[in-house]
């Protein structure tokens, strides 16, 4: 029922196909053991193509777990996930990997860059995985990094970058394959407000330009309000959906 | 925080990092296993070797003989002798003579027949029956002068087994000398004419005693009651003297085999006896003492070899341990950062790490001890089987010291290899550690380091100046002569090593570190490479002094240099690899990850491939050794100069009307194309036939030290030159190679002389040999080095048994007589390794009328090549035979001296110079036949020709025995190819033994890889999660894990191949052999290393690829 309300209220993307349909999702950690944790408890969610959605909720309510389920980084306990009309349960692990590579971009809560690769190498890796020529991939990676203001840090290792810079590299890596869905786990968590605004502008631009879908987890109300709507979670369930638009004035 | 908190931290991390500690303990275990194993191997070998030598001595500690060589003692001497050795527990007389023995077609030309009294003192032990094991009272058996007892060993050699029905009869011969005196009727002068007859006697073997059992039985081959041997011996005297004893045997204790006598005590007793004997009466011989020192010399040689090799393998163990320790520290750099941030001081951190290491060391040491015991025992047993040191069972010798050593070394290894990582941890920059920057040392010690560098440079220069400047015995490095001996190279390598290492450190302060290290690494590698690839063979022609220390220095520098070169250039190399992989479909992701991982964990990667670099360098060197030596087999057909088969008779052929042995041989098989007949003679006992190495007519002549029992041979122009007219005639009959030449053959003998040139030089030498007017100057060379008390085996080149190889006559002086004239003598050739070229020797020629030999002086002018085709075939000696059969004939070992026909005819052992003696023969009586056939040298058909010849000669009352009407003829045949093969077999055995050690190194390498891959995977969980998250398929995750290991292994292999080839090139140059690289073996190594890497990485890699990414991402280490 929560899903339906989203569809109705959301005007911008109302006519669009749903790109992500989650129904009856459960996730239990250490299933069957005494220390079992029921992190997701029967969650339904539909996201349409081109949606820019924020997820908010108290720490430990299952936001990261949900993103992991969507990205198929972990097995779910119960429920269905359909992405781009494909029921992911039918995919083999190999197919799923390719699917993830092509359709989903991740920005993690901890930055999760390869510590032994330079910024540009980190960014170009997904392109190489898609089979792109090394030279072309390098050029594209540079381009994206320059766009994110990292032009003078291309060859630095993550440990030589500030938290914000690392996050920008992570964003660049997620964006570079132009995935259908970008999952961001506090993508601006470590950024100062100006840079956060820059990143959010970037997100909004690609969202408009390429109609890429964005699912962002955040604790920051201001960030959340940059999105089309906000899904609130408590105890592994969606408790409330807040419909945008929230913004009064557009930055830039 | 003090020790206590360090303890707490150590204890906690020990417990929490169970698997990680396990790998450290495993590493220490392997290191200690190797160390203990080597120690046990050498100890056991030494013991086995010594036991097998001492077995021949029974309970005898020393023996007393007549001070005059060849003289006898009498029954009366017992009183004097017992007074002189108050500490003796037993004294027994013994008379030995050497006789031939024939049983059917089995023949032994010289067996010691010992006469002992039937009631010998029981302190000397007891004889036991071979079959039943019962005690034998020899008095019951040895009742007459044709009754003997045989040792089980001799019985076996004669083809008997335990089921033989006794008594059996064997044939022997005793010499019978009669002198007829004629009086000249006109002058009234007496002329004494000695006649030597041979008494052929059938002896009856009534019992066979067990000679494998320690005690008196192990000492003798064939015994008869003393009085009867005295009878037989007396036939050799014109006076028929029977009261003769060759020696009194002294036992200072009993049961030598359970507790060996103390060497010092024995020496003391011998010295005491020697001091107290009246002049010119007795002299003392102690084989036991000699064996002690022989065993020591041989074992020192062997154990340095083993230790050298073991040390190099140990290096891999140390590399592994360091690597493991380093990983632990890297692993917890973050924690260390936290610890430091919350206030732990540096000392505390070092302490806690060291406590952990000590614990690992103790455990590793204990496990290593157990492993070492097993390893040592296995290797020792294998060795004994390999070299056949004797049938008696070999007990691994485990001394108490080893146990203590193992634990100490374990702890030491733990601590030493832990110090560097511990220091590194303590120096960790707190901020960097917390941020996850893999920092290197803080550059605080730069200044001290530079100072150290300058010091190294200065020391290096001083060492380099040692040659020629500080030590005038060597030439300085700025003249080319300063580079042509190994001793000079020892200093050059050491100096260069110090200089270049120091220079690198100093330079790194001025130019980039990479550049500086590159220069150091290349220079460090190049210096010994130059020695091996260029200098050895080209400049250095004499390797007789090739000592293990030079090898170790050279190999170490090559290893360090090569490993450093790759380490310094790892980033560009890995970048190249990345660029290559990134172009390949399906490997792009792997290419992005694996090479970057390798160069980002530089020390870990370096230590890993270093293990393989060391092992592979050794392995490749050993692998090349075999085919390089084998190449000389392929050369055999060429080197044998056509001879396929050697036949030797136990004595000179009979004089038969209308035929000869040669003609009979031709009749046996139509494939025989040429039979070259030779005369040889060897003596073990008749000192009147010994060669003198000092002027027998001078007052300084000492019969005890200046006579050598070397054999003789006659070589005639017809045998060698055939119908050839000059050097360039192709019609030579048997143009065997020389390895040393008369000084008038002017070309300097350099190692790069081609075979054709060598052959031409050899032919010129043969021309000189047969030129009766040719004489050669004698030189101031001597046998002292070999024969003096403090002889040193390193003076003799054991590898080729070439003795004083190369250009001996350089720098030695020509001998002059008292008038200042150069002493020139007729020449002889030799295949003996102990006679240096240029040496003046005296050979007993015809007998004077008093039965005393007349000596003729000669110069040793040429040496026959002892390597080609297994050496000159007339002396049956070959390295393979000696080492494989354990006991060998010393006389054969010494080789022979070859005389021309003219001089041979002046002797009464190769001809009948002036009247017959027991050894003389007519000019057409040959005993050794070299046979050429139409077959190839390795053709199987030769075997059947050999068999035909043996059947023809060795069948009673048939064939040759019938023709000669003498059943005492025995022919033994040898295929030339088999002599070469046995030498090769020996090489292969040695190699297979070396391989054990090298293989152990591979095990260490494999364990290293496994440890690393387990750690890599567990440490990189997050990275692996990330890889999966951004779309790496499982296969690529797996390939990344595996590729890293394969690449490291292959780097090690490549270094190993390059180094191995370089080192082998040096050895091949020295031996004048063509180096053959066994590519297929190297392929196997490649496969093997890949396999190690794959299997080490497979399980961790598989687990890694299966971790759910979300879980992996959560991992915080
Ligand atoms: N591997 C795991 N094993 C057991 N429990 C887990 C595991 N991963 C997460 N949990 C639990 O599941 C619940 C949801 O965790 P999740 O990481 O999704 O929270 P979150 O909403 O992202 O919180 P935050 O805002 O703090 O990041 C938490 O109670 C957490 O303790
Ligand atoms: Mg979270």
């Amino acid at each position: 029922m929560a899903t339906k309300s989203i569809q109705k209220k959301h005007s911008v993307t109302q006519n669009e196909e749903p790109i992500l349909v989650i129904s009856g999702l459960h996730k239990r950690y250490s299933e069957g053991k005494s220390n079992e944790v029921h992190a997701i408890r029967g969650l339904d969610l539909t996201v349409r193509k081109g949606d820019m959605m924020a997820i908010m909720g108290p720490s430990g309510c299952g936001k990261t777990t949900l993103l992991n389920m969507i990205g198929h980084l972990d097995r779910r306990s119960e429920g269905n996930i359909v992405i781009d009309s494909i029921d992911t349960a039918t995919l083999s692990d190999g197919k799923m990997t390719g699917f993830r590579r092509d359709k989903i971009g991740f920005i993690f809560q901890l930055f999760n860059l390869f510590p032994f690769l330079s910024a540009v190498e980190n960014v170009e890796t997904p392109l190489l995985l898609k089979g792109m020529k090394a030279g072309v991939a390098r050029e594209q990676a540079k381009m994206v990094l320059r766009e994110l203001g990292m032009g003078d840090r291309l060859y630095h290792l993550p440990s030589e970058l500030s938290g914000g810079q690392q996050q920008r590299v992570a964003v660049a890596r997620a964006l570079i394959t132009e995935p259908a869905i970008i999952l961001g786990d506090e993508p601006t968590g470590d950024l100062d407000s100006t840079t956060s605004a820059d990143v959010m502008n970037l997100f909004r631009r690609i969202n408009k330009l390429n109609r890429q879908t964005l699912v962002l987890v955040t604790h920051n109300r201001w960030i959340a309000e940059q999105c089309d709507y906000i899904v609130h979670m408590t105890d592994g369930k969606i408790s409330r959906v807040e419909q945008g638009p929230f913004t009064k004035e557009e930055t830039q | 925080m003090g020790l206590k908190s360090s303890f707490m931290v150590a204890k906690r991390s020990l417990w929490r990092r169970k698997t990680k500690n396990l790998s450290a303990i495993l590493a220490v275990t392997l290191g200690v296993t190797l160390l203990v194993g080597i120690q046990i191997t050498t100890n056991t070998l030494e013991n086995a070797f010594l036991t097998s030598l001492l077995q021949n001595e029974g309970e005898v500690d020393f023996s007393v003989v007549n001070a005059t060589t060849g003289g006898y003692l009498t029954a009366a001497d017992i009183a004097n002798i017992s007074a002189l050795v108050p500490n003796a527990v037993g004294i027994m007389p013994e008379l030995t003579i050497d006789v031939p023995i024939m049983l059917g077609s089995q023949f032994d030309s010289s067996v010691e027949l010992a006469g002992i009294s039937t009631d010998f003192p029981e302190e000397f032990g007891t004889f036991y029956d071979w079959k039943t094991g019962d005690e034998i009272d020899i008095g019951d058996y040895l009742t007459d002068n044709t009754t003997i007892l045989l040792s089980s060993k001799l019985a076996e050699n004669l083809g008997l087994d335990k089921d033989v029905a006794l008594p059996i009869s064997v044939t022997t011969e005793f010499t019978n000398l009669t002198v007829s005196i004629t009086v000249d009727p006109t002058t009234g002068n007496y002329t004494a004419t000695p006649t030597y007859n041979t008494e052929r006697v059938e002896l009856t073997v009534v019992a066979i005693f067990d000679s494998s059992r320690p005690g008196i039985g192990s000492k003798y081959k064939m015994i008869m009651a003393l009085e009867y041997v005295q009878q037989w011996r007396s036939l050799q005297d014109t006076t028929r003297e029977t009261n003769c004893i060759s020696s009194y045997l002294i036992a200072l204790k009993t049961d030598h085999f359970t507790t060996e006598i103390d060497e010092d005590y024995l020496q003391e007793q011998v010295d005491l006896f020697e001091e107290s004997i009246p002049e010119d009466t007795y002299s003392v011989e102690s084989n036991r003492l000699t064996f002690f020192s022989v065993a020591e010399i041989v074992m020192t040689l062997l154990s340095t070899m083993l230790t050298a090799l073991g040390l190099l393998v140990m290096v891999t163990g140390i590399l592994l341990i360091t690597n493991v320790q380093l990983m632990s520290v890297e692993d917890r750099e973050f924690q260390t950062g936290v610890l430091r941030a919350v206030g732990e001081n540096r000392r505390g951190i070092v302490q806690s790490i060291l406590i952990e290491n000590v614990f690992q060391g103790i455990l590793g040491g204990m496990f290593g001890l157990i492993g070492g015991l097993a390893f040592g025992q296995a290797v020792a047993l294998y060795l004994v089987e390999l070299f056949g040191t004797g049938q008696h069972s070999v007990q691994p010798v485990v001394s108490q010291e080893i146990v203590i050593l193992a634990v100490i070394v374990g702890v030491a290894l733990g601590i030493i290899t832990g110090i560097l990582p511990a220091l590194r941890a303590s120096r960790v920059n707190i901020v960097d550690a917390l941020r996850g920057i893999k920092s290197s040392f803080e550059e605080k010690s730069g200044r001290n380091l530079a100072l150290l560098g300058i010091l190294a440079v200065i020391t290096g220069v001083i060492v380099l100046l040692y040659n020629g400047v500080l030590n005038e015995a060597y030439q300085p490095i700025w003249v080319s002569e300063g580079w042509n001996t190994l001793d000079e190279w020892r200093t050059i390598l050491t100096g260069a090593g110090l200089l270049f290492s120091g220079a690198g450190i100093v330079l790194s302060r001025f130019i980039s570190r990479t550049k500086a290290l590159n220069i150091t690494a290349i220079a460090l590698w190049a210096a010994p490479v130059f020695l091996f690839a260029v200098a050895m063979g080209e400049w250095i022609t004499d390797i007789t002094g090739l000592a293990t220390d030079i090898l170790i220095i050279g190999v170490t520098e090559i290893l360090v240099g090569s490993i450093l070169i790759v380490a310094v250039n790892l980033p560009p190399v890995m970048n190249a690899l990345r660029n290559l992989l990134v172009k390949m479909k399906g490997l792009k992701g792997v290419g992005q990850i694996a090479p970057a991982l390798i160069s980002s964990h530089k020390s870990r990667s370096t230590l890993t491939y270093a293990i393989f670099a060391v092992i592979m360098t050794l392995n490749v060197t050993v692998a090349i050794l075999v085919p390089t030596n084998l190449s000389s087999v392929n050369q055999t057909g060429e080197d044998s100069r056509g001879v396929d088969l050697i036949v030797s008779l136990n004595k000179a052929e009979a004089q038969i009307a209308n035929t000869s042995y040669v003609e009979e041989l031709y009749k046996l098989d139509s494939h025989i194309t040429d039979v070259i007949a030779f005369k040889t003679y060897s003596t073990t006992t008749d000192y009147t036939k010994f060669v003198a190495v000092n002027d027998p007519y001078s007052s300084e002549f000492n019969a005890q030290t200046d006579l050598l029992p070397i054999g003789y041979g006659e070589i005639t122009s017809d045998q060698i030159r055939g119908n050839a007219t000059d050097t360039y005639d192709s019609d030579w009959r048997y143009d065997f190679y020389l390895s040393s030449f008369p000084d008038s053959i002017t070309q300097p003998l350099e190692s790069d002389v081609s075979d054709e040139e060598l052959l031409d030089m050899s032919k010129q030498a043969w021309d000189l040999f047969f030129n009766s007017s040719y004489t050669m100057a004698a030189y101031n060379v001597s046998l002292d080095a070999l024969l003096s008390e403090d002889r040193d085996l390193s003076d003799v080149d054991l590898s080729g048994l070439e003795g004083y190889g190369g250009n001996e006559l350089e720098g030695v002086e020509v001998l002059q007589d008292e008038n200042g004239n150069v002493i020139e003598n007729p020449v002889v050739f030799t295949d003996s390794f102990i006679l240096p070229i240029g040496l003046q020797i005296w050979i007993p020629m015809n007998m004077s009328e008093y039965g005393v030999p007349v000596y003729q002086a000669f110069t040793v002018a040429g040496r026959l090549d002892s390597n080609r085709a297994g050496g000159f075939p007339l002396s049956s000696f070959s390295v393979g035979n000696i080492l494989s059969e354990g006991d060998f004939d010393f006389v054969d070992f010494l080789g022979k001296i070859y005389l021309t026909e003219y001089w041979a005819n002046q002797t009464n052992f190769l001809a009948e110079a002036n009247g017959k003696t027991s050894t003389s023969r007519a000019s057409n009586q040959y005993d050794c036949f070299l046979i050429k056939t139409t077959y190839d040298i390795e053709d199987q058909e030769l075997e059947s020709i050999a068999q035909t010849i043996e059947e023809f000669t060795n069948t009673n009352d048939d064939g040759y025995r019938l023709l000669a009407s003498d059943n005492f003829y025995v022919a033994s045949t040898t295929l030339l190819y088999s002599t070469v093969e046995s030498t090769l077999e020996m090489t292969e055995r040695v190699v297979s033994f070396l391989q054990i050690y090298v293989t152990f190194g591979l095990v260490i390498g494999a364990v290293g890889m496994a440890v690393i891959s387990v750690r890599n995977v567990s440490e990189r969980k997050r990275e692996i999660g990330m890889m999966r998250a951004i779309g790496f398929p499982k296969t690529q995750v797996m390939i990344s894990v595996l590729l890293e290991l394969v690449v490291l292994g292959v780097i090690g292999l490549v270094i190993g191949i390059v180094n191995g080839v370089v080192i082998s090139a040096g050895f091949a140059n020295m031996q004048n052999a063509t180096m053959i690289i066994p590519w297929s073996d190297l392929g196997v190594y490649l496969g093997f290393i890949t396999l190690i890497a794959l299997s080490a990485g497979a399980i961790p890699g598989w687990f890694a690829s299966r971790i759910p990414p979300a879980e992996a991402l959560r991992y915080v280490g």
Side-chain angles (χ1 to χ4, degrees), chain A residues 129-156:
Chain A
L129 281 171
K130 287 182 93 162
M132 189 180 280
K133 273 195 160 176
V136 183
R138 175 65 52 102
E139 280 316 307
Q140 285 204 14
K142 281 184 186 167
M143 223 171 65
V144 176
L145 279 169
R146 281 197 196 105
E147 249 176 78
L148 287 171
M150 292 287 296
D152 54 345
R153 288 282 186 280
L154 294 178
Y155 300 105
H156 287 249

Side-chain angles (χ1 to χ4, degrees), chain B residues 314-515:
Chain B
M314 271 291 277
V315 169
T316 60
I318 291 172
L319 289 175
L320 173 62
I321 302 167
T322 314
N323 205 357
V324 168
Q325 305 286 28
L326 194 71
M327 278 192 278
S328 319
V329 172
E330 262 180 19
D331 239 20
R332 45 178 177 193
E333 220 144 75
F334 184 76
Q335 278 99 317
T336 310
V338 175
L339 270 175
R340 295 271 285 127
V342 301
E344 176 68 294
N345 62 14
R346 289 192 169 152
R347 224 179 84 209
I349 287 171
V350 173
Q351 259 172 13
S352 66
I353 292 179
L354 286 185
I355 290 170
E356 205 177 315
N357 290 346
V358 167
F359 172 77
Q360 293 164 350
I362 293 174
L363 271 186
M366 281 171 355
F367 291 137
L369 180 62
I370 299 168
L373 291 178
F375 178 63
Q377 171 145 10
V379 173
L381 290 179
Y382 178 63
L383 260 184
V384 168
E385 186 193 321
L386 214 56
F387 297 104
T389 352
Q391 299 112 325
H392 49 87
S393 67
V394 174
Q395 295 302 321
V397 178
V398 184
S399 58
Q400 291 155 314
E401 294 92 61
I402 288 179
V403 180
I404 302 163
L405 185 82
V407 178
I408 290 179
V409 168
V411 175
L413 277 180
I415 293 178
I416 292 168
T417 54
I419 282 178
L420 194 75
L423 282 178
R424 183 173 157 164
S426 76
R427 297 231 165 139
V428 140
N429 180 313
I430 305 172
V431 179
D432 280 354
L434 292 175
R435 283 182 71 153
I437 294 182
K438 301 279 174 218
S439 60
S440 48
F441 279 109
E442 281 175 46
E443 301 290 325
K444 200 172 154 190
S445 51
R447 192 173 294 267
N448 298 341
L449 215 61
L451 219 70
L452 211 75
I454 293 172
L455 216 72
V457 170
I458 295 171
T459 324
V461 171
I462 292 175
V463 171
L464 283 178
L465 287 180
Y466 176 81
N467 280 1
V469 179
L470 300 176
N471 185 338
E472 308 253 323
Y474 303 133
Q475 269 99 10
I477 51 168
W478 49 86
V479 296
S480 58
E481 289 80 31
W483 300 74
N484 62 4
T485 69
L486 282 168
D487 285 325
E488 286 162 348
W489 269 93
R490 187 200 324 263
T491 351
I492 292 172
L493 286 184
T494 317
L498 284 165
L499 176 63
F500 292 136
S501 316
I505 298 171
V506 176
L507 269 179
S508 67
R509 287 183 73 83
F510 301 105
I511 56 175
S512 90
R513 201 166 177 179
T514 317
K515 266 190 201 142

Side-chain angles (χ1 to χ4, degrees), chain B residues 86-107:
Chain B
N87 291 328
V89 299
I91 299 180
M92 76 182 254
E94 176 195 82
L95 174 64
T96 59
I97 51 177
D98 284 352
V99 293
I101 272 292
M102 191 166 76
L103 174 72
S105 66
Q106 298 299 316
F107 181 78

Side-chain angles (χ1 to χ4, degrees), chain A residues 73 100 112 121 124 134 161, chain B residues 578 582 592 1022 1026 1028:
Chain A
L73 295 181
R100 184 161 62 223
N112 280 339
E121 285 170 335
E124 74 191 358
L161 298 174
Chain B
R578 178 227 175 238
V582 147
Q592 185 79 336
R1022 277 176 72 81
M1026 268 183 261
R1028 297 279 286 132

Side-chain angles (χ1 to χ4, degrees), chain B residues 981-995:
Chain B
E981 269 183 334
S982 66
T983 314
L984 276 174
E985 216 169 84
M986 200 56 217
T987 316
E988 277 170 9
R989 281 184 196 178
V990 171
V991 167
S992 86
F993 166 61
L994 296 185
Q995 216 98 43

Side-chain angles (χ1 to χ4, degrees), chain B residues 466-675:
Chain B
Y466 176 81
N467 280 1
V469 179
L470 300 176
N471 185 338
E472 308 253 323
Y474 303 133
Q475 269 99 10
I477 51 168
W478 49 86
V479 296
S480 58
E481 289 80 31
W483 300 74
N484 62 4
T485 69
L486 282 168
D487 285 325
E488 286 162 348
W489 269 93
R490 187 200 324 263
T491 351
I492 292 172
L493 286 184
T494 317
L498 284 165
L499 176 63
F500 292 136
S501 316
I505 298 171
V506 176
L507 269 179
S508 67
R509 287 183 73 83
F510 301 105
I511 56 175
S512 90
R513 201 166 177 179
T514 317
K515 266 190 201 142
L517 280 177
N518 249 323
I519 293 171
T520 301
I522 291 171
L524 209 55
W525 182 75
V529 163
F530 193 75
L531 164 66
F532 283 110
V534 183
M536 272 168 103
E538 283 288 330
W539 299 352
I540 307 169
T541 42
D542 178 26
I543 47 162
T544 47
L546 185 56
T548 24
D549 60 339
I550 302 177
L551 268 184
I552 292 181
I553 296 173
V555 172
T556 310
E557 286 186 9
I558 284 187
L559 283 172
V560 172
S562 57
I563 290 167
L564 205 58
I565 290 174
V566 178
V568 173
N569 300 302
L570 201 57
V573 171
M574 284 304 109
N575 211 22
L577 178 67
R578 178 227 175 238
N579 290 340
L580 183 82
L581 288 175
V582 147
K583 289 198 180 72
M584 289 156 83
K585 228 180 141 224
L587 285 179
K588 286 178 195 283
V590 174
Q592 185 79 336
I593 300 291
L597 272 175
I598 293 176
S599 51
S600 77
H601 289 91
K602 207 166 168 183
S603 2
R604 172 184 309 193
S605 304
T606 303
L607 287 170
T608 308
Y609 72 72
I611 294 177
F612 283 92
V614 174
I615 287 308
M616 280 299 132
T617 299
L618 297 179
N619 232 326
V620 171
T621 308
V622 171
I624 296 177
L625 210 68
V626 181
T628 300
N629 273 290
L630 272 172
S631 72
S632 59
V633 176
N634 301 333
Q635 183 88 37
T636 313
E638 176 72 17
D639 287 348
S640 68
R641 316 307 298 153
V643 167
D644 301 316
L645 195 66
I646 307 149
V647 180
S648 61
L649 291 177
N650 57 326
K651 57 177 183 174
E653 65 177 301
Q655 282 177 291
I656 306 167
N658 302 324
T659 187
S660 67
Y661 197 69
V662 171
E663 279 185 31
E664 293 304 317
L665 287 178
Y666 278 123
K667 285 187 213 158
L668 288 178
D669 195 302
S670 60
H671 295 92
I672 295 177
T673 53
D674 193 8
V675 179

Side-chain angles (χ1 to χ4, degrees), chain B residues 93-313:
Chain B
E94 176 195 82
L95 174 64
T96 59
I97 51 177
D98 284 352
V99 293
I101 272 292
M102 191 166 76
L103 174 72
S105 66
Q106 298 299 316
F107 181 78
D108 197 327
S109 61
S110 173
V111 179
E112 187 186 80
L113 171 64
I116 57 177
S117 86
T118 50
D119 55 350
F120 64 89
E122 61 183 13
E123 285 77 9
F124 286 92
T126 315
F127 288 97
Y128 295 93
D129 189 274
W130 187 25
K131 191 176 174 187
T132 62
D134 297 339
E135 278 190 25
I136 297 177
D137 183 352
I138 58 170
D140 296 348
Y141 291 96
L142 302 177
T143 48
D144 62 50
N145 69 356
T146 58
T147 307
I148 57 166
L149 261 54
L150 283 191
S151 78
S152 54
K153 188 166 183 206
L154 180 61
E156 269 170 356
N157 287 348
L158 291 174
L160 302 179
D161 56 31
K162 279 187 181 174
D163 298 326
V164 68
L166 295 173
I168 50 169
S169 110
V170 296
T171 314
T172 189
E173 285 177 340
F174 295 108
T175 305
N176 189 351
L177 170 68
T178 49
V179 179
S180 58
I181 305 203
T182 49
V183 187
D184 191 316
T186 48
T187 61
N189 287 349
Y190 293 95
T191 314
T193 316
T195 313
Y196 292 89
N197 286 315
T198 303
E199 296 271 329
R200 179 136 337 137
V201 179
E202 295 286 311
L203 299 176
T204 311
V205 179
V206 287
I208 295 173
F209 56 87
D210 190 350
S211 55
S212 64
R213 206 186 268 250
I216 193 163
S218 59
K219 178 173 164 48
Y220 292 111
K221 288 226 168 100
M222 186 160 72
I223 53 173
M224 188 183 268
L226 177 62
E227 60 210 273
Y228 303 121
V229 179
Q230 286 174 328
Q231 270 178 26
W232 288 118
R233 195 220 62 88
S234 71
L235 294 178
Q236 293 173 16
D237 288 349
T238 46
T239 57
R240 300 289 188 248
E241 176 59 58
T242 54
N243 185 8
C244 281
I245 305 285
S246 34
S247 55
Y248 281 97
L249 309 178
I250 316 282
L252 293 173
K253 70 186 283 296
T254 56
D255 295 327
H256 282 80
F257 290 88
T258 36
T259 42
E260 185 49 66
I261 190 165
D262 182 62
E263 190 184 340
D264 294 335
Y265 173 71
L266 176 54
Q267 183 68 59
E268 194 183 292
Q269 293 296 311
V270 168
D271 290 347
L272 218 62
F273 181 79
E274 266 182 337
E275 279 161 25
S276 54
I277 45 178
E279 211 171 314
D280 290 337
T281 51
Y282 308 126
S283 78
V284 188
E285 285 170 356
S286 176
N287 289 340
R288 195 174 288 275
L289 272 182
T290 312
F291 289 151
F292 277 135
S293 61
V294 166
E296 205 175 292
I297 292 170
V298 172
M299 290 317 294
T300 314
L301 211 72
L302 196 68
S303 75
T304 20
M305 250 176 60
L306 290 186
T307 316
L309 190 71
L311 272 181
L312 287 172
V313 183

